Amino acid sequence: MPAVVLATQFSLAQGTSNSQNQQNPIIQSFVNEVNTNSQLEDMAYELLDGVGPRLVGTPEMLAANEWTAGKLRSWGIEANLQQFGTWKGWQRGITHVDMTYPRVKSLSATQLAWSPATKKAVEAEVVILPKVSSKAEFDQWLPSAKGKIVLIAQYQKIGRSDEQIKEFATPELYEKLKKEKEQATKDFQNYVKNIGYDNTSLPEALEKAGAAGVAISNWTGIMGANRIFGAKTSKIPMIDIDVEDYGMLYRMAEKGAKPKIKVETQSKALPDAKTFNTIGMIRGKEKPNEYVVLSAHLDSWDGAQGATDNGTGVLTMLETMRILKKYYPDNKRTIVVGLWGSEEQGLNGSRGFVADNPEIIKGVQAVFNQDNGTGRVVNISGQGFVNAYDYIGKWLNAVPKNVRDQIKTDFPGMPGGGGSDHASFVAAGVPGFSLSSLNWGYFGYTWHTTKDTYDKIVFDEVKNNVILTAALAYMASEDPEFTNRERRTMPANDKGEVAKWPEVKQSRRDSKGF
């Protein structure tokens, strides 16, 4: 069938009016509970300030699994930890980096995840990559990196955001600076290509050559925010330095000042750790073998607290489960909450759940996943299911008008191939829907960065999402019909190539080769 794409806001004409919505005592009880007895801030404190970041393989991730299961049980909800694999064990310690020459200054820096610790503080000269144009020239330089800490990221001449430059510069200056920045990025990319290495192989080559450490600055373009991912070294420390301090060291090294820094990282390499999903379940009273799944990933990167990626999604689903248990005692279908592990390494927890629970997957009515930040939900796609408009539209019409009117929809939409956990279900042909949020600067400022902290949560927006999710879960559970799983005919691109439905991918069950 030809694709039919609708991008619209639901209006009163499409179903039940808001006044009728308010007559539904169960949905109204959800609204009242959220507005008068929200547990979101207390739970955010316990999870984000108490447990902290939740990198897979760390004791903190296990603590988060146990905390979420404990919360669910405290509300009378059946909960357990379902193992899906193992991962290399590691625990972050302090990172302390100081410039010791030509003057003394404490630097703003973070050890990358899984980076080796320093047995004792490492003090060494800082050098930059050589100005060469071929792999042969670079390999000839490599031995000189022995005993040095090497800066391998692009130097940023200006550490101001594009938005600020655009606000204050003249149009002519803005265009000049923009072109200079674009050219600098292109030049650096060509440099890396010419020397024959990439982000993984270059740190490995430096480590093999005897470098004392590797430093990068994975700046987002927003002042103060750097992204923290995993280290690419196994024996020497790999750190990220904030753009301001990184730039200072780069200029000093380039000008021949031979700066020195002292690096102390006290992380711990631990035995392989079991990896779990937290699974909570409120058994259905009428159709216990059909399921409504509330979905959010519990793990995070650990440059900060993982507040908007994905603490807010976890809080939304926990609060929704609490409210459903309290005000919807006769749920027809079984309501499941899945708080997934190792999403950041490739949707491993949710893919493992899909593979390990075929009977549940066969009976899933719908999956509601929330992952992209603290903002109110503003988009829902049909994910390529032909008849999604019929049931999503019906369910949305029961959502309070002030929440519903914020949401644009896209039917039938395109199936999600990755990016977040609903895609694990969609690939298996299960109606899985992303409750996509207004970004609140998510991708530039908090996504995987050193600024993804508690104070970035806008709790009124999260409350909005709890009301939405609770109402959708209730309506999906009550619906007399089982959702239709017919898939759309996939469109062709300009070359006539027809897109394919995403394939089911296997969960990575361990960290070998990662």
Side-chain angles (χ1 to χ4, degrees), residues 326-461:
K326 187 174 182 178
Y327 292 105
Y328 182 36
D330 298 318
N331 51 301
K332 287 185 179 181
R333 292 179 171 86
T334 297
I335 300 173
V336 176
V337 63
L339 304 177
W340 317 116
S342 194
E343 186 269 356
E344 300 292 3
Q345 288 67 47
L347 314 186
N348 294 322
S350 57
R351 284 176 176 164
F353 181 85
V354 169
D356 297 343
N357 297 273
E359 289 304 309
I360 291 179
I361 297 306
K362 183 171 64 175
V364 170
Q365 171 84 329
V367 178
F368 301 110
N369 182 66
Q370 212 278 317
D371 183 16
N372 66 322
T374 189
R376 62 190 178 277
V377 172
V378 292
N379 284 287
I380 298 177
S381 165
Q383 294 296 323
F385 294 97
V386 171
N387 296 295
Y389 174 82
D390 296 337
Y391 48 87
I392 290 288
K394 179 170 56 177
W395 301 343
L396 272 173
N397 279 322
V399 174
K401 185 177 185 300
N402 65 316
V403 175
R404 183 181 71 234
D405 281 355
Q406 302 291 324
I407 300 171
K408 292 185 178 181
T409 57
D410 176 12
F411 294 109
M414 288 291 286
S420 194
D421 294 292
H422 64 285
S424 301
F425 295 88
V426 171
V430 176
F433 305 103
S434 174
L435 307 180
S436 184
S437 296
L438 192 67
N439 72 63
W440 280 82
Y442 176 70
F443 287 105
Y445 192 40
T446 61
W447 180 69
H448 299 169
T449 76
T450 50
K451 300 302 179 185
D452 193 8
T453 49
Y454 180 108
D455 56 292
K456 306 308 183 301
I457 298 175
V458 183
F459 283 100
D460 284 345
E461 298 276 80

Side-chain angles (χ1 to χ4, degrees), residues 150-195:
V150 186
L151 306 182
I152 67 169
Q154 179 185 345
Y155 168 64
Q156 300 291 339
K157 183 178 179 181
I158 297 178
R160 293 183 182 273
S161 67
D162 288 343
E163 289 78 8
Q164 192 176 83
I165 295 171
K166 190 172 185 179
E167 179 181 0
F168 293 107
T170 62
E172 295 79 12
L173 178 57
Y174 173 73
E175 288 300 321
K176 176 178 180 290
L177 296 177
K178 181 180 176 182
K179 288 179 181 178
E180 287 179 353
K181 183 175 181 180
E182 290 172 350
Q183 187 61 49
T185 299
K186 184 178 179 180
D187 289 346
F188 184 77
Q189 291 171 343
N190 288 335
Y191 171 84
V192 173
K193 181 179 179 180
N194 289 338
I195 65 172

Side-chain angles (χ1 to χ4, degrees), residues 44-218:
Y45 166 75
E46 293 175 25
L47 177 62
L48 304 176
D49 289 340
V51 175
R54 303 161 302 283
L55 182 71
V56 62
T58 63
E60 290 76 17
M61 182 63 209
L62 177 58
N65 283 126
E66 293 173 340
W67 177 83
T68 49
K71 274 294 175 189
L72 292 165
R73 292 176 191 136
S74 74
W75 302 324
I77 297 171
E78 175 187 335
N80 65 83
L81 305 187
Q82 189 175 103
Q83 185 180 353
F84 62 88
T86 62
W87 203 261
K88 52 187 173 185
W90 188 78
Q91 186 171 33
R92 181 174 292 283
I94 66 165
T95 301
H96 202 97
V97 182
D98 299 303
M99 182 171 70
T100 57
Y101 181 83
R103 56 188 174 85
V104 175
K105 182 185 185 301
S106 290
L107 306 179
S108 182
T110 305
Q111 179 185 20
L112 297 185
W114 302 298
S115 169
T118 56
K119 294 180 180 179
K120 60 179 181 178
V122 173
E123 185 173 10
E125 181 187 341
V126 173
V127 298
I128 62 174
L129 296 173
K131 295 184 179 354
V132 297
S133 57
S134 69
K135 187 176 187 302
E137 289 179 297
F138 184 83
D139 289 345
Q140 188 175 4
W141 169 86
L142 262 177
S144 67
K146 184 175 183 180
K148 308 292 199 309
I149 295 174
V150 186
L151 306 182
I152 67 169
Q154 179 185 345
Y155 168 64
Q156 300 291 339
K157 183 178 179 181
I158 297 178
R160 293 183 182 273
S161 67
D162 288 343
E163 289 78 8
Q164 192 176 83
I165 295 171
K166 190 172 185 179
E167 179 181 0
F168 293 107
T170 62
E172 295 79 12
L173 178 57
Y174 173 73
E175 288 300 321
K176 176 178 180 290
L177 296 177
K178 181 180 176 182
K179 288 179 181 178
E180 287 179 353
K181 183 175 181 180
E182 290 172 350
Q183 187 61 49
T185 299
K186 184 178 179 180
D187 289 346
F188 184 77
Q189 291 171 343
N190 288 335
Y191 171 84
V192 173
K193 181 179 179 180
N194 289 338
I195 65 172
Y197 291 90
D198 58 26
N199 290 337
T200 297
S201 60
L202 180 55
E204 292 173 347
L206 291 167
E207 181 174 60
K208 187 176 180 180
V214 175
I216 65 171
S217 184
N218 194 0

